[in-house]
Each structure stands twice: as C-alpha cells, then as structure tokens.
Amino acid sequence: QVQLVESGGGLVQTGGSLRLSCIASGNTFSINAMGWYRQAPGKQRELVATITTRSGTTNYADSVKGRFTISRDNAKNTLYLQMNSLKPEDTAVYYCNGRRPLSNTDVWGQGTQVTVSS
C-alpha cells in the first residue's frame, strides 16, 4: 500500500513561483512513474508532468514547458514540481500521482490548491 501527501500550494501573483512537494510512503518500490495532474473548475483533470522512477525521464504538457520542472529524490521518496512564471490559467487543484504497473493501478494524493491572481 502506498500513500501520497502533497504540500506547497497557495496563493501567488502572476509571474510568481511555487514549489509543490509530494511525499510517498508505504510500498514505494511498486511505483515506476510519478506525475503531477491538475484540475480546474469546469475542466477535466489534465496531465502536467511525469517522471519515471528509475531513469528520471520527464514529460511535460505543452502549456507548462519552459516554466515548470518536475524532479524527484528517490532516497527521500519525494516528488517535486517547481512552478515558475505562473499564470492565472495555472489555477487548479494539483494532484500527485503514482503508477503501479504490476497491478495496473494509480495512487493519488489528496490534492493541493494553487491559485494565481492577476
């Protein structure tokens, strides 16, 4: 069993920065990839960025390329999302995700609110 806990959300002005953290506990060995997703009011949950556990290969949504950076510290079982040059359209609840390929399941955090004011 794996649990994910996010932190770091808050209110920031346009152009500002936030750093989100996600601490994983439990059987983290079962996770081969982690990512950040977000969901804004009236919109579907969308992929923000992913990173593989072993190689560190990253992928980003076009809307955040050049502004957001996903990283992880495997020794600390922690996933990060550095968000720079924030825009009002980045406002959403951000969720940490862990993929468990052997069971074909996902683990989700509780979400953290990011609000960017104009």
Side-chain angles (χ1 to χ4, degrees):
Q1 188 174 0
V2 179
Q3 289 185 321
L4 305 176
V5 179
E6 303 102 328
S7 63
L11 175 65
V12 66
Q13 294 182 344
T14 298
S17 298
L18 285 173
R19 190 194 194 201
L20 305 183
S21 299
C22 172
I23 300 176
S25 61
N27 187 21
T28 58
F29 182 78
S30 65
I31 297 176
N32 77 334
M34 299 188 72
W36 291 96
Y37 291 72
R38 67 187 182 187
Q39 187 167 21
K43 298 183 65 178
Q44 292 185 319
R45 186 173 298 186
E46 64 178 359
L47 173 71
V48 177
T50 61
I51 185 169
T52 61
T53 303
R54 294 184 178 181
S55 68
T57 301
T58 59
N59 288 284
Y60 296 91
D62 288 341
S63 60
V64 306
K65 287 181 179 178
R67 300 188 298 118
F68 291 10
T69 302
I70 188 171
S71 62
R72 84 278 187 273
D73 187 333
N74 288 346
K76 296 181 179 179
N77 291 322
T78 303
L79 179 74
Y80 303 98
L81 184 67
Q82 179 66 47
M83 305 185 294
N84 299 324
S85 301
L86 283 163
K87 306 174 182 179
E89 51 262 44
D90 295 318
T91 296
V93 177
Y94 284 71
Y95 297 92
C96 180
N97 168 267
R99 183 65 177 174
R100 298 181 293 187
L102 294 180
S103 59
N104 194 33
T105 58
D106 291 283
V107 180
W108 295 92
Q110 81 287 351
T112 184
Q113 177 71 48
V114 172
T115 302
V116 184
S117 63
S118 60

